[in-house]
Amino acid sequence: MRKGILVVVVTGRGAIGFLLSTSVLLLLVLATGRTIPALAPLHPAMVGKVITVDPGHGGIDPGSHDSEGILEKDIVLEIARDVCYLLARARAVPILTRHGDWEMSPLRPEEKTRHRQDLAARIHIAHRTNSDVFVSIHVNKIGSKSTSGAIVFYSKNKPESKRLATCIQQAIKDVAPFRGQSVLEGDYYVLNAANLPAVIVEVGFISNPEEKELLLTPSYRGRLAEAIFRGLLSFFESS
């Protein structure tokens, strides 16, 4: 059996899969200059698990940003790509909702607003691919420059989503510790609409100067990706 990464493109009519060989994978890593600090070994609990990894925002929606042109949509795409590489090396099946700087709204035109179309498309991808979990990656921003660290959100009354959030938070707190409660209920469309365990991972604060600089560093983004991977592994191993 050929080994590599399964890349799935979801359209309104279904899903199309492409298998990338390990050699092609290496060329992609070299071409993009991304750093993945440790490729995951085989983990039985991860084999065959379908995991939708969603880089938040994209296209005309930059997400959080600063006055210097640093955009959330770019940071989270790099982290999501690293998560997918680690999942694929562990023989899971990663589904990346967007592979570039675009929005997802054309996939769900029946929704009333572009924003809702975009969000509905991301959950649609998870549902159409029969994903086992959905992880949406974001970057935070608030008025305070001192707040830093990762926070994980889940939807109320969804115990498996809470368990997933807790597993990821336990892994990511060593990389991006947050002072205070860091596993929180969140009233967000993608979490409420999901019929599978779903979380939003806010990996840090772009409003914190030190953390922003870290988020721009490939090695740090790789550490965040590893932490998310370890959280997913813990979730499946404890199922």
Side-chain angles (χ1 to χ4, degrees):
M1 181 177 180
R2 294 179 64 192
K3 297 180 180 180
I5 285 185
L6 180 65
V7 177
V8 178
V9 178
V10 178
T11 69
R13 296 183 178 181
I16 304 172
F18 303 91
L19 185 67
L20 298 184
S21 68
T22 303
S23 60
V24 173
L25 169 61
L26 178 59
L27 288 175
L28 287 173
V29 172
L30 294 174
T32 58
R34 291 199 312 274
T35 299
I36 302 176
L39 294 176
L42 174 64
H43 296 285
M46 297 291 285
V47 175
K49 298 299 183 183
V50 183
I51 301 165
T52 293
V53 182
D54 172 47
H57 308 283
I60 64 173
D61 179 7
S64 301
H65 55 88
D66 66 1
S67 59
E68 300 174 351
I70 305 303
L71 307 178
E72 175 183 1
K73 65 178 182 178
D74 299 329
I75 295 171
V76 298
L77 179 58
E78 293 302 315
I79 296 171
R81 285 172 173 167
D82 284 356
V83 172
C84 286
Y85 272 75
L86 293 170
L87 290 170
R89 294 290 294 190
R91 309 301 191 272
V93 182
I95 308 295
L96 191 61
T97 57
R98 64 177 179 93
H99 296 257
D101 183 17
W102 54 71
E103 61 180 283
M104 307 301 299
S105 55
L107 195 58
R108 305 303 287 176
E110 71 278 6
E111 297 289 342
K112 292 183 178 180
T113 67
R114 185 209 61 78
H115 181 64
R116 180 56 64 88
Q117 291 167 358
D118 181 64
L119 296 176
R122 297 164 194 261
I123 290 300
H124 170 74
I125 290 171
H127 289 167
R128 285 296 297 270
T129 55
N130 293 318
S131 291
D132 293 288
V133 298
F134 173 88
V135 179
S136 188
I137 302 174
H138 290 258
V139 173
N140 231 326
K141 180 181 179 180
I142 60 173
S144 170
K145 293 184 178 182
S146 61
T147 304
S148 64
I151 302 174
V152 188
F153 291 95
Y154 66 94
S155 184
K156 184 179 181 181
N157 297 324
K158 294 189 176 183
E160 282 299 278
S161 293
K162 183 177 181 180
R163 189 169 71 83
L164 175 60
T166 301
C167 288
I168 292 178
Q169 186 274 336
Q170 286 296 314
I172 207 170
K173 68 179 183 180
D174 294 332
V175 179
F178 178 79
R179 294 181 180 178
Q181 180 62 35
S182 54
V183 177
L184 301 172
E185 291 181 359
D187 187 18
Y188 299 107
Y189 176 83
V190 292
L191 301 182
N192 297 333
N195 63 11
L196 70 164
V199 296
I200 291 175
V201 184
E202 298 275 3
V203 297
F205 286 79
I206 199 173
S207 46
N208 180 289
E210 291 79 15
E211 192 158 58
K212 180 179 71 172
E213 290 303 314
L214 286 173
L215 289 167
L216 296 176
T217 306
S219 60
Y220 183 74
R221 293 195 300 264
R223 291 176 61 200
L224 291 171
E226 277 196 315
I228 293 171
F229 170 81
R230 291 197 309 272
L232 287 165
L233 176 62
S234 175
F235 174 80
F236 288 115
E237 286 184 335
S238 61
S239 295

